[in-house]
Amino acid sequence: MSVSKKIVLLGHFGVGKSSLLRRFVENTFSENYTVTIGVHIMKKEVHLEKDNITLVIWDVEGTDDFTKYRSSYLMGASSFIYVFDASRPITYGDIKYNLEHLKEKYPHVSAHIIGNKVDLVDPDVLLNDLKAQDIQHSYLSSAKTGENVELLFKNVAAQLLENA
Amino acid sequence: MLNKLRQEFLENTTQLLIVNNTNQVLDTDDSLFSIKKGSDITDFHPFFHVISSLFEDDRKQQKFYCVQMEIKGKTCFFDIRSQVDFEKKQVVLFIEDLTDHYKTLHQIKQVRNESIINFNITQELNHQLNVERGFKNKFLANVSHEIRTPLNSILGFLSVLENTSLDREQLDIIGIIKDSSKNLVAIVDDLLDISKIEAGHLEIKNKRFDFKKFTKSLVKTYDLQANEKRLQFVTDIGTNIPKFLIGDQLRLNQILINLLENALKYTHQGTVTLRISTTSRNMRRIPVTFEIIDTGIGIPKEYLTTIFESFTQLEKRGLFGGSGLGLSIVKQLTQLMDSNLEVSSKENEGSTFKFTISLGVSHDQKEEKETPVIRNSEKRSGGSKKKKYRILLGEDIEVNQLLMMRLFADEGTYSLDIAKNGEQVVLFLEKYQYDLVLMDLSMPVMDGYDAAMRIRNHTDKKIKKIPIVALTARTTEEERDEAKECGMNAYLTKPINSDLLFKTIDRLLHRYKPKKEKN
């Protein structure tokens, strides 16, 4: 029996959290934007070198105010994946503030920062902007092309197993 | 009775489940979905993995709002309440189906979020456009500045060459080169104006001005030009317009010059009319309507909307020659004055450009006392017996030094010394006696601004009070203000107009004449 871990996808609305999840779990992508309300949960077993792990991924309704996240959604999370839209700077301008809030409330939960929709931007311009704002991103991904999606979930899973 | 009704109402919208701490279903009423007793509830939906966390939390009750689940191919939204019995190691789950409510909410949020995202994207595109526009404006301003410096030399030396012994053909050629260079100056000025307007750096500066004098000067200029083209220049200026108005005379002049020059350029026979009127005069502000009407070649209908675009219309049309910026500047200047430039035109019949601006009426309608202008030209050319005025020029570029030397060579009243930078200017002033300083602003070692500050803060009273004239290719309002703040008395832009240069020098020498010379 594989161990299961809860991961919560957080971030502003429209940044592609649900698209990342669908790309990872079902390997599908739709150009149409459908709002997530409340929470939508999917799970996937990830096969790693030595062990398997079941990721139970909570795709939570997007918001720019992290203080409004319901504590019941975040309870029991082993990891947060903070997703921003690389083509909309407004979705990463407040990362530091939101991360501070998460760290204060959930000090033992690791957070990974993902810049999604990189297919829409000039990577050099984006990297310069992130550097200027001192944002340490974990991955740049595209749910549309699949770039780095599998990799990021696998690495998060590996890290969770390591810390288990 | 009520209990029975309650049961009927809630039967299809709620479900009760009892699960133990190993996710095993102990009991269920199967109202919403059926699930086998004894089965692992996490196999039914991944949400139920949360049960293990419920036992790790101190709180007995939790509520999970709007949990989305696919049940028999249908998307449902549930609110789920949990109540843990830590002793029995059981949890009661109360599941409420609020699909209809949340679906309505979903539609509202879909519209709201889409509009916010679209707004963000538009905002980002605007930001990028502004960055690009900023780059373009900076580039234009820099290029214009770089072009002005060599142009200054070309025009200056052409004036010098014009006064040497030349035959008619040579004079004609110089005339052509001079006209072309002046056109180039006009284009550079237009480029600078466009970059300033687009960068939002151009401000309308409203000051009191003599409207009668202003129109008289315009009429005089264009009457002459119309005569040369055998056109009739008709003016119809409302007599009820007060003499002294408050507005931006400089920019109003720029608008009218552009429109009148176009009218004269594209009219080959007939008339060009300048009509200025107002409907009222007894107010603090009056609307003044300007109309420039010509009987020229007219503008085809399809170009009427594009003639105000900068750069682009040239390729399409080739009609409004020059830089292709004139009408764009006029349009934007009228907009800055809260007005709108209208055009009506018929091909081969003519065009009418019309705009109305609101101008202030000065309380003081009395004539200003004219400051006497000293005309020194006779004294200068005549090689006066009086002592020569010593002028010190601070200029680092050799070709500009040569030009100034050449201009001063024909003037008997002045002698000119040259310092290569601001530091040398100060040094020369301490060592020798001068009557006036001409100061380039961009110089190595010490620029003109710093040198002017050093002079104004000097301990020697005579040096401290010496008149300083800034000579520069820089044309922005900020630079002009900075020069003034540094204590410079006049500001002349390159290419230098020699007449204006000597008039300015005469005026300042007269104003700042040392006391002993006045007696």
Side-chain angles (χ1 to χ4, degrees), chain B residues 318-335:
Chain B
L319 177 65
F320 290 90
S323 64
L325 292 169
L327 279 180
S328 174
I329 291 171
V330 167
K331 178 88 178 166
Q332 297 192 60
L333 283 177
T334 52
Q335 279 169 351

Side-chain angles (χ1 to χ4, degrees), chain B residues 170-181:
Chain B
Q170 288 168 324
L171 277 171
D172 284 348
I173 293 169
I174 285 179
I176 293 165
I177 302 172
K178 218 172 171 181
D179 283 348
S180 303
S181 304

Side-chain angles (χ1 to χ4, degrees), chain B residues 17-224:
Chain B
L17 268 167
I18 303 176
V19 184
N20 69 12
N21 63 344
T22 58
N23 301 329
Q24 207 177 11
V25 180
L26 301 177
D27 202 358
T28 169
D29 63 14
D30 282 356
S31 296
L32 298 173
F33 47 85
S34 59
I35 187 162
K36 245 185 179 175
K37 283 178 193 170
S39 65
D40 187 331
I41 197 168
T42 60
D43 292 338
F44 179 77
H45 193 274
F47 165 76
F48 297 104
H49 278 280
V50 82
I51 289 169
S52 56
S53 309
L54 296 176
F55 287 98
E56 287 162 12
D57 203 89
D58 299 336
R59 283 162 290 189
K60 205 177 169 189
Q61 290 185 337
Q62 287 285 356
K63 188 162 183 179
F64 300 88
Y65 293 91
C66 195
V67 179
Q68 191 180 326
M69 288 188 192
E70 301 289 322
I71 309 281
K72 292 176 188 167
K74 233 180 94 183
T75 303
C76 302
F77 294 95
F78 301 132
D79 275 3
I80 303 173
R81 261 184 284 168
S82 65
Q83 188 167 311
V84 181
D85 186 332
F86 291 103
E87 273 183 23
K88 288 184 182 170
K89 295 182 180 171
Q90 289 177 0
V91 59
V92 179
L93 297 170
F94 176 72
I95 303 172
E96 191 177 1
D97 185 358
L98 292 167
T99 302
D100 291 342
H101 164 70
Y102 282 124
K103 275 193 173 166
T104 311
L105 191 72
H106 185 259
Q107 283 171 356
I108 296 166
K109 286 203 173 179
Q110 181 78 35
V111 175
R112 173 189 162 267
N113 288 12
E114 275 176 8
S115 70
I116 292 175
I117 291 169
N118 287 336
F119 174 71
N120 288 163
I121 292 168
T122 315
Q123 232 180 359
E124 184 54 21
L125 284 174
N126 269 343
H127 171 71
Q128 281 170 10
L129 269 175
N130 283 336
V131 169
E132 282 164 23
R133 191 179 280 179
F135 174 77
K136 185 192 85 184
N137 289 332
K138 204 173 169 190
F139 174 78
L140 283 180
N142 286 343
V143 166
S144 309
H145 177 77
E146 292 306 316
I147 294 172
R148 265 178 174 273
T149 309
L151 260 180
N152 171 38
S153 309
I154 294 170
L155 274 167
F157 279 108
L158 278 175
S159 300
V160 173
L161 194 60
E162 212 173 18
N163 292 325
T164 58
S165 49
L166 298 171
D167 61 32
R168 194 173 181 81
E169 196 186 349
Q170 288 168 324
L171 277 171
D172 284 348
I173 293 169
I174 285 179
I176 293 165
I177 302 172
K178 218 172 171 181
D179 283 348
S180 303
S181 304
K182 279 181 180 168
N183 279 340
L184 205 52
V185 173
I187 291 169
V188 169
D189 285 345
D190 281 355
L191 283 171
L192 270 174
D193 276 345
I194 274 286
S195 61
K196 274 193 271 184
I197 291 171
E198 290 191 356
H201 291 158
L202 198 139
E203 278 176 42
I204 295 298
K205 292 188 172 168
N206 294 323
K207 282 180 190 163
R208 179 178 184 265
F209 71 101
D210 187 335
F211 188 72
K212 290 259 154 50
K213 203 169 162 187
F214 167 72
T215 49
K216 201 173 159 187
S217 153
L218 268 177
V219 172
K220 196 176 163 190
T221 309
Y222 290 100
D223 201 26
L224 206 72

Side-chain angles (χ1 to χ4, degrees), chain B residues 463-498:
Chain B
I463 293 176
K464 198 177 176 174
K465 286 186 176 170
I466 195 163
I468 307 172
V469 180
L471 300 181
T472 178
R474 302 176 184 191
T475 57
T476 69
E477 209 62 40
E478 296 79 48
E479 280 153 348
R480 201 177 278 266
D481 288 345
E482 202 182 337
K484 206 174 169 185
E485 273 171 30
C486 292
M488 301 201 200
N489 307 87
Y491 192 95
L492 296 178
T493 51
K494 294 173 181 177
I496 295 296
N497 173 319
S498 61

Side-chain angles (χ1 to χ4, degrees), chain A residues 20 114 118 139-142 145-153:
Chain A
L20 280 173
I114 313 298
V118 282
Y139 298 95
L140 296 178
S141 67
S142 166
T145 64
E147 183 182 341
N148 283 341
V149 178
E150 186 82 17
L151 181 79
L152 84 89
F153 280 104

Side-chain angles (χ1 to χ4, degrees), chain B residues 451-470:
Chain B
M453 298 257 273
R454 286 270 292 271
I455 293 167
R456 291 292 173 249
N457 293 320
H458 207 279
T459 46
D460 184 322
K461 276 187 186 171
K462 210 180 166 199
I463 293 176
K464 198 177 176 174
K465 286 186 176 170
I466 195 163
I468 307 172
V469 180

Side-chain angles (χ1 to χ4, degrees), chain A residues 60-164:
Chain A
V60 176
E61 178 177 338
T63 179
D64 52 355
D65 185 356
F66 276 34
T67 59
K68 283 185 181 162
Y69 270 127
R70 296 183 193 282
S71 60
S72 61
Y73 288 170
L74 307 188
M75 71 179 296
S78 300
S79 193
F80 295 134
I81 295 182
Y82 189 131
V83 186
F84 69 83
D85 178 346
S87 69
R88 280 192 296 143
I90 197 163
T91 65
Y92 55 84
D94 52 2
I95 279 186
K96 280 187 176 175
Y97 171 78
N98 285 332
L99 279 181
E100 264 174 37
H101 171 76
L102 287 177
K103 267 188 187 160
E104 196 187 311
K105 293 266 178 192
Y106 306 92
H108 305 298
V109 184
S110 62
H112 306 266
I113 301 171
I114 313 298
N116 191 37
K117 304 193 193 180
V118 282
D119 54 291
L120 297 179
V121 297
D122 178 337
D124 291 338
V125 174
L126 173 67
L127 289 173
N128 278 338
D129 201 17
L130 293 177
K131 199 176 168 189
Q133 296 192 45
D134 195 24
I135 294 168
Q136 312 277 335
H137 63 281
S138 311
Y139 298 95
L140 296 178
S141 67
S142 166
K144 187 177 178 178
T145 64
E147 183 182 341
N148 283 341
V149 178
E150 186 82 17
L151 181 79
L152 84 89
F153 280 104
K154 272 200 162 175
N155 285 355
V156 170
Q159 200 193 55
L160 288 176
L161 264 186
E162 214 171 276
N163 297 338

Side-chain angles (χ1 to χ4, degrees), chain B residues 377-434:
Chain B
S377 52
E378 296 86 24
K379 289 182 203 167
R380 278 195 260 122
S381 54
S384 162
K385 282 174 190 172
K386 281 182 185 175
K387 81 161 180 94
K388 280 187 175 182
Y389 288 106
R390 287 192 70 177
I391 311 288
L392 176 61
L393 168 70
E395 171 66 71
D396 60 315
I397 298 171
E398 208 170 312
V399 71
N400 289 345
Q401 293 174 354
L402 275 171
L403 173 63
M404 293 302 278
M405 279 163 69
R406 196 66 197 80
L407 289 178
F408 275 84
D410 297 334
E411 301 295 326
T413 326
Y414 314 104
S415 68
L416 184 76
D417 285 357
I418 295 169
K420 281 190 279 185
N421 56 52
E423 199 176 70
Q424 251 188 25
V425 169
V426 180
L427 213 72
F428 280 20
L429 285 175
E430 286 167 348
K431 222 169 174 184
Y432 311 106
Q433 286 212 341
Y434 291 97

